[in-house]
């Protein structure tokens, strides 16, 4: 039985054909911008940098639409699509990117990434500039389009939401929920380390994980993560098998009992080992469902979204066009 479980964990899904297209022609861009990611008074400077780049590369003057606490990007993107733009740029963190991508999924309008958050995990996984706005805008305006998968998740049988990086229940969501915006603004990614260290001790809960309706895991865990890609800060790959365009989702289950157990988990994750620790399990599939015996905190692409006891996820292969650096294109 144990050997069969290992074969399932490391199963590689067939990768769909990767599609990239030629560099774009100048056109009209709409920028969905999250003003909370910038210091007071600097939003105008950000807009000027983007507008200058559009002028330099022959694009029309961009239109800027700000997100709000009530609508973090979905409604703004819906309205933008009515204007038939040639490009929609998301200027914010992974939450802003997720909302914009949710509306662009399945459409022909590409997404440009202008990272302005703490994690910027999709941009990290795609090799985008992270700390240079001008360089990121240049990629969005002059790069090539790459199709990537989109994950869809339903928590507690509620309507599906898109995710591009990771969604999960348990410890990972606790880290996100207890790393407040002020702490992240002051300490950057270190805020997550501080939050995580404070919550190493905690109760495990029984999990049933099914892939394509087959029960593959039944045991007590601290966290279950479902990922579309696997890289986080500091070059750590939580899910070594995960690829953003492989037509599959990856599951990571963490089940340490103590702080000492967490040390072994961290060593395995940092060294990119895929097996060899009893507190870490990897799985892969296209349709996954997780059921917890008791509700735990949940997160979607790093945003806390309350508590949940059930999570259902599926992959939509090649659903999103993302503008990437031209050097990443196929010859």
């Amino acid at each position: 039985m144990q050997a069969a479980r290992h074969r399932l964990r490391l199963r590689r899904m067939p990768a769909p054909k990767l599609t990239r297209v030629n560099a774009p022609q100048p056109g009209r861009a709409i920028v969905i911008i999250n003003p909370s990611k910038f210091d007071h008074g600097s939003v105008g400077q950000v807009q000027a940098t983007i507008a200058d780049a559009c002028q330099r590369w022959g694009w029309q003057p961009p239109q800027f639409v700000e997100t709000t606490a009530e609508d973090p990007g979905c409604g703004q993107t819906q309205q933008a699509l009515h204007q038939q733009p040639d490009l929609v740029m998301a200027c914010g963190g992974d939450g802003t990117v997720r909302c914009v991508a949710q509306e662009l999924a399945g459409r022909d309008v590409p997404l440009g990434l202008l990272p302005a958050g703490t994690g910027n995990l999709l941009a990290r996984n795609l090799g985008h500039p992270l700390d240079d706005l001008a360089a990121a805008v240049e990629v969005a305006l002059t790069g090539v389009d790459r199709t990537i998968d989109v994950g869809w998740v339903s928590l507690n049988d509620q309507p599906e939401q898109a995710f591009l990086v990771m969604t999960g229940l348990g410890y990972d969501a606790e880290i996100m929920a207890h790393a407040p915006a002020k702490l992240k603004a002051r300490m950057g990614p270190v805020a997550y380390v501080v939050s995580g260290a404070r919550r190493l001790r905690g109760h495990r809960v029984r999990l049933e994980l099914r892939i394509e309706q087959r029960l593959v895991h039944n045991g007590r865990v601290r966290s279950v993560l479902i990922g579309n890609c696997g890289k986080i800060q500091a070059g750590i790959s939580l899910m070594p098998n995960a690829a953003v365009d492989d037509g599959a989702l990856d599951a990571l289950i963490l089940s340490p009992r103590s702080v000492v157990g967490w040390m072994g988990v961290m060593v395995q994750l940092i060294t990119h080992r895929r097996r060899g620790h009893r507190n870490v399990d990897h799985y892969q599939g296209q349709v996954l469902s997780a059921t917890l015996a008791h509700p735990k905190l949940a997160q979607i692409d790093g945003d806390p979204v309350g508590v949940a006891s059930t999570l259902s996820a599926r992959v939509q292969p090649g659903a999103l066009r993302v503008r990437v650096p031209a050097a990443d294109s196929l010859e």
Side-chain angles (χ1 to χ4, degrees):
M1 177 65 71
Q2 187 68 21
R5 285 185 61 199
H6 277 291
R7 284 198 296 271
L8 180 60
R9 287 176 195 161
L10 300 177
R11 179 166 58 107
R12 168 62 70 183
M13 301 298 298
K17 183 178 180 180
L18 184 63
T19 302
R20 293 187 174 99
V21 300
N22 293 330
Q25 295 298 315
R28 186 163 59 93
I30 296 179
V31 183
I32 311 298
I33 184 170
N34 183 349
S36 71
K37 296 300 181 181
F38 304 97
D39 295 332
H40 179 69
S42 65
V43 173
Q45 183 178 0
V46 170
Q47 293 180 349
T49 298
I50 298 171
D52 288 346
C54 287
Q55 181 180 21
R56 183 167 63 253
W57 292 103
W59 285 66
Q60 298 176 26
Q63 177 183 344
F64 296 95
V65 184
E66 294 188 358
T67 67
T68 64
E70 296 74 23
D71 189 341
C74 291
Q76 293 87 340
T77 307
Q78 292 172 6
Q79 292 299 316
L81 288 171
H82 290 320
Q83 303 180 49
Q84 298 182 333
D86 299 290
L87 171 69
V88 175
M89 291 187 270
C91 185
D94 285 311
T96 305
V97 172
R98 176 177 68 85
C99 290
V100 175
Q102 178 167 305
E103 305 305 322
L104 295 182
R107 299 176 181 269
D108 290 331
V109 181
L111 169 65
L113 300 176
L114 308 183
T118 304
N120 302 314
L121 295 184
L122 181 64
R124 291 177 189 273
N125 279 270
L126 294 178
H128 277 62
L130 298 177
D131 301 312
D132 188 335
L133 177 60
V137 179
E138 181 176 341
V139 169
L141 298 177
T142 68
V144 296
D145 291 346
R146 175 179 177 179
T147 58
I148 69 170
D149 304 334
V150 174
W152 293 91
V153 60
S154 170
L155 299 169
N156 289 337
D157 296 322
Q158 294 299 306
E160 288 185 321
Q161 300 181 63
F163 69 96
L164 302 177
V165 184
M166 301 175 194
T167 183
L169 302 169
Y171 178 68
D172 59 294
E174 295 172 12
I175 294 175
M176 305 302 176
H178 294 93
K182 290 184 179 179
L183 185 64
K184 291 189 289 184
R186 186 171 71 251
M187 303 181 66
V190 177
Y192 295 124
V193 177
V194 174
S195 178
R198 290 173 175 171
R199 281 153 190 87
L200 287 176
R201 298 182 184 276
H203 297 292
R204 301 192 303 168
V205 63
R206 182 162 294 280
L207 162 75
E208 290 186 359
L209 178 70
R210 297 179 183 273
I211 298 180
E212 276 75 63
Q213 300 185 345
R214 177 184 175 187
L215 181 64
V216 298
H217 191 101
N218 186 357
R220 301 184 67 83
V221 306
R222 282 294 308 279
S223 183
V224 53
L225 272 166
I226 309 296
N228 190 38
C229 51
K231 185 184 297 183
I232 60 173
Q233 293 94 333
I236 297 174
S237 181
L238 293 182
M239 304 174 190
N241 274 342
V244 76
D245 50 18
D246 63 356
L249 297 174
D250 285 61
L252 172 65
I253 295 176
L254 305 178
S255 52
R257 298 174 181 230
S258 63
V259 174
V260 174
W262 274 116
M263 293 176 62
V265 168
M266 296 305 173
V267 168
Q268 180 177 356
L269 295 178
I270 291 173
T271 57
H272 298 178
R273 295 173 60 194
R274 295 177 182 153
R275 59 171 126 181
H277 198 286
R278 62 184 180 182
N279 293 326
V280 180
D281 291 289
H282 291 273
Y283 300 92
Q284 195 173 63
Q286 295 177 316
V287 180
L288 304 90
S289 62
T291 302
L292 298 181
H294 303 286
K296 288 291 185 179
L297 285 171
Q299 61 87 11
I300 302 177
D301 278 359
D303 287 339
V305 289
V307 298
S309 57
T310 64
L311 179 157
S312 300
R314 64 180 177 89
V315 65
Q316 185 181 6
L320 182 66
R321 289 173 57 188
V322 181
R323 194 63 52 80
V324 299
D328 191 41
S329 63
L330 293 176
E331 297 297 335

